């Protein structure tokens, strides 16, 4: 495949297509690892997961094992989880608290700030290892925004804040939901799907599939007397009931739609959410609070960081390819600090029953994506996937495909160097009037 045949962006005929070979080619996957995952900002974790000195989480980030920790000085670090001696994983626990990381293979030991402090049989080395090896290696850059930590393995990468750009607004809408901040709930959803990673990126900001793939959930909402998303009547902060899609530079994009209903919520849960909204109105003004609590949002931050913020739950999701046809997915739930146990339980229940690997939504999505991957064996006869819905509209709806096109244009730029112009559909509902964040 030549570089020019990845994406067909035909503005004159309002046609956008992606060559299906990008979902099946090992050669393309290897180039993605080099040009995307080694050069874009990749999410690692949130500061609430390592609140104390010595706390750590081990993660796989952009195909590399890392230790995400708070060192003995209280600084947040990201270090490659590989002993400098012979390469074994240095820390084999998923989380914990440690002052020293000791490699189980030959016993080399490192402080939680990275320095090599002990080598068994050190006297047998002509050159002292602690002087030869300065300490554990890390990514070229580690930066944070609103408590979310990202890494970049490219020394020449722009700053995280510049990279996020105007799309930071949709992180702010999460981080501002409580004056005390936000926290990741303990527990992780980690599972694999037999489909290309880019299919799940598309699906995460795809409003078009909701009514057909998730019809069971829509039926449940209606049985409970709630109005399903994109079926309401109220315009919220300029966003119609059908919702809208919006794009930003660097491949970030969002779909948003009026937040309808709190399925199975108790009166206490509803009052907690109403109280959060009143507090936000006092801090930031009514319009920003309405954007925060009156709109649901699915956002993608290129390449693979997803923030899904609905009235009944808030999830972070990342994905990384194992092969062209298999992807590892990791998800966490966020909670605004200061809420009571009943509200937390409500959010946890929804995390399990909606987003969980055995919930209402995820198995539907996995089945759809795996069926698509399976059918890509027909690419010799059906070579292109269509992502044209809403192209040419003055205001694309949430169930149009602007979000995916914005993401694909950035993917194409990084893979080929060809910069395709945006559709000029950037939009944020309302800014804060004041802030004490």
């Amino acid at each position: 495949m030549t570089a020019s045949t990845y994406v067909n962006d035909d503005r004159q005929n309002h046609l956008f297509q992606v060559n299906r070979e990008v979902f099946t080619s090992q050669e393309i996957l290897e180039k993605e690892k080099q040009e995307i995952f080694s050069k874009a900002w990749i999410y690692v974790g949130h500061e609430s997961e390592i609140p104390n000195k010595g706390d750590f989480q081990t993660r796989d980030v952009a195909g590399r094992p890392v230790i995400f920790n708070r060192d003995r000085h209280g600084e947040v670090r990201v270090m490659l989880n590989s002993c400098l001696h012979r390469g074994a994983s240095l820390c084999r626990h998923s989380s914990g608290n440690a002052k020293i990381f000791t490699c189980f293979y030959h016993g080399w030991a490192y402080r939680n700030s990275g320095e090599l402090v002990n080598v068994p049989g050190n006297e047998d080395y002509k050159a002292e290892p602690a002087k030869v090896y300065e300490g554990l290696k890390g990514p070229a850059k580690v930066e944070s925004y609103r408590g979310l930590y990202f890494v970049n393995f490219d020394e020449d990468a722009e700053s995280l804040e510049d990279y996020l750009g105007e799309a930071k607004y949709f992180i702010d809408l999460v981080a501002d939901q409580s004056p005390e901040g936000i926290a990741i709930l303990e527990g992780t959803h980690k599972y694999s799907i037999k489909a290309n990673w880019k299919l799940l990126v598309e699906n995460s900001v795809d409003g078009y599939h909701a009514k057909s793939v998730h019809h069971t959930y829509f039926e449940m909402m209606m049985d409970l007397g709630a109005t399903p998303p994109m079926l309401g009547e109220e315009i919220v902060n300029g966003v119609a009931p059908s919702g809208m899609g919006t794009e930003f530079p660097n491949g970030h994009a969002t779909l948003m739609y009026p937040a309808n209903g709190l399925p199975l919520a108790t009166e206490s849960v509803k009052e907690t959410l109403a109280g959060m909204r009143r507090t936000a109105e006092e801090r930031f003004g009514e319009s920003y609070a309405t954007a925060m609590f009156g709109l649901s949002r699915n956002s993608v931050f290129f390449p693979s960081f997803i923030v899904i913020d609905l009235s009944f739950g808030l999830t972070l999701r990342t994905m990384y390819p194992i092969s062209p046809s298999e992807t590892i997915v990791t998800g966490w739930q966020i909670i605004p600090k200061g809420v009571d146990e009943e509200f937390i339980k409500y959010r946890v229940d929804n995390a399990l029953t909606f987003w969980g690997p055995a919930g209402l939504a995820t198995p539907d999505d996995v089945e759809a994506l795996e069926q698509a991957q399976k059918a890509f064996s027909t690419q010799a006869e059906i070579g292109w996937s269509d992502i044209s819905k809403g192209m040419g509209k003055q205001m694309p709806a949430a169930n149009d495909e602007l979000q995916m096109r914005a993401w694909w244009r950035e993917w194409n730029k990084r893979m080929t160097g060809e910069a395709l112009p945006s559709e000029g559909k950037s939009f944020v509902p309302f800014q804060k009037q004041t802030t004490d964040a």
Side-chain angles (χ1 to χ4, degrees):
M1 178 186 292
T2 61
S4 61
T5 58
Y6 289 150
V7 169
N8 176 27
D9 188 359
D10 183 349
R11 300 301 175 90
Q12 183 175 351
N13 295 303
H14 304 304
L15 180 67
F16 193 97
Q17 298 171 307
V18 173
N19 194 309
R20 291 183 178 180
E21 192 174 346
V22 305
F23 301 108
T24 62
S25 167
Q26 183 66 38
E27 180 182 350
I28 289 173
L29 174 58
E30 294 305 318
K31 190 171 183 180
E32 288 174 337
K33 291 178 181 180
Q34 177 183 347
E35 299 298 330
I36 295 177
F37 288 101
S38 293
K39 296 182 179 180
W41 284 97
I42 309 295
Y43 176 71
V44 179
H46 188 262
E47 62 185 6
S48 63
E49 298 177 90
I50 47 172
N52 305 308
K53 291 181 180 179
D55 286 350
F56 69 85
Q57 301 276 341
T58 55
R59 300 267 155 88
D60 288 323
V61 177
R64 300 158 172 89
V66 303
I67 302 170
F68 172 54
N69 76 309
R70 194 175 295 273
D71 71 15
R72 61 200 178 105
H73 306 295
E75 295 184 12
V76 174
R77 291 181 176 269
V78 180
M79 302 178 292
L80 294 173
N81 190 6
S82 178
C83 182
L84 298 173
H85 178 222
R86 298 272 284 279
S89 295
L90 183 59
C91 181
R92 295 180 292 156
H93 300 283
S94 60
S95 62
N97 186 283
K99 294 180 180 179
I100 299 289
F101 295 114
T102 302
C103 180
F104 85 105
Y105 194 9
H106 296 96
W108 285 33
Y110 306 80
R111 289 195 184 98
N112 59 16
S113 47
E115 300 91 349
L116 177 63
V117 292
N118 185 59
V119 174
N122 186 62
E123 64 278 2
D124 296 325
Y125 289 89
K126 291 290 186 181
E128 186 179 344
K131 293 181 179 179
V132 174
Y133 302 105
E134 297 178 355
L136 293 176
K137 304 299 182 182
K141 295 186 176 184
V142 179
E143 295 181 20
S144 67
Y145 182 74
R146 302 303 300 267
L148 300 167
Y149 276 81
F150 296 76
V151 300
N152 200 308
F153 294 93
D154 181 8
E155 298 237 5
D156 297 324
E158 64 183 320
S159 71
L160 173 64
E161 196 149 349
D162 287 344
Y163 178 76
L164 293 174
E166 196 176 14
K168 296 193 303 289
Y169 175 85
F170 294 96
I171 295 177
D172 291 338
L173 286 176
V174 173
D176 287 333
Q177 289 183 19
S178 167
E180 301 173 48
I182 55 174
I184 300 290
L185 286 175
E186 187 175 355
T188 303
H189 282 144
K190 190 170 185 178
Y191 54 96
S192 65
I193 64 174
K194 293 181 179 179
N196 188 274
W197 70 281
K198 299 183 289 296
L199 290 175
L200 183 55
V201 172
E202 289 182 349
N203 177 266
S204 298
V205 289
D206 176 10
Y208 190 20
H209 79 285
K211 293 178 185 177
S212 53
V213 173
H214 302 308
H215 61 87
T216 301
Y217 169 70
F218 278 75
E219 291 170 359
M220 182 194 78
M221 288 278 283
M222 295 177 75
D223 288 343
L224 292 170
T227 304
M230 293 175 271
L231 291 181
E233 298 179 355
E234 182 182 5
I235 294 177
V236 179
N237 275 15
V239 177
S242 60
M244 68 177 296
T246 184
E247 61 179 342
F248 298 97
N250 297 324
H252 314 315
T254 298
L255 67 85
M256 63 190 98
Y257 45 90
N260 296 312
L262 289 166
L264 303 178
T266 64
E267 289 303 316
S268 174
V269 167
K270 293 176 183 178
E271 179 50 39
T272 297
L273 197 63
M276 291 164 57
R277 180 167 180 161
R278 289 192 295 270
T279 299
E281 289 176 354
E282 294 170 0
R283 297 174 68 204
F284 305 120
E286 183 177 352
S287 294
Y288 187 73
T290 300
M292 188 184 297
F293 294 106
L295 293 173
S296 293
R297 301 168 295 278
N298 290 42
S299 303
V300 57
F301 299 88
F302 189 91
S304 58
F305 179 53
I306 309 295
V307 180
I308 302 174
D309 188 358
L310 310 184
S311 55
F312 57 86
L314 207 165
T315 190
L316 303 182
R317 176 188 293 164
T318 63
M319 58 218 68
Y320 186 77
I322 299 173
S323 75
S325 59
E326 189 170 4
T327 301
I328 285 287
V329 187
T330 311
W332 301 267
Q333 284 294 310
I334 300 178
I335 202 75
K337 289 183 178 179
V339 296
D340 59 31
E341 289 299 319
E342 185 173 350
F343 189 88
I344 294 173
K345 182 180 183 301
Y346 175 72
R347 287 290 182 89
V348 170
D349 287 345
N350 283 313
L352 294 172
T353 59
F354 187 76
W355 285 291
L360 281 166
T362 297
D364 294 340
D365 290 330
V366 170
E367 177 66 12
L369 303 185
E370 291 186 348
Q371 288 298 318
Q373 189 72 36
K374 181 179 179 180
F376 288 156
S377 60
T378 66
Q379 66 189 37
E381 293 77 28
I382 309 173
W384 297 83
S385 289
D386 187 280
I387 313 180
S388 304
K389 191 171 185 298
M391 199 170 181
K393 272 188 179 180
Q394 184 174 357
M395 184 169 290
N399 60 4
D400 288 326
E401 295 171 331
L402 168 69
Q403 308 84 253
M404 287 81 87
R405 293 194 295 272
W407 186 92
W408 274 110
R409 290 185 180 110
E410 180 67 16
W411 181 92
N412 185 70
K413 176 183 174 182
R414 288 176 177 268
M415 294 289 284
T416 72
E418 178 189 24
L420 299 168
S422 76
E423 294 178 44
K425 306 296 183 183
S426 177
F427 172 84
V428 295
F430 283 97
Q431 298 290 348
K432 343 178 176 179
Q433 293 179 6
T434 59
T435 179
D436 57 7

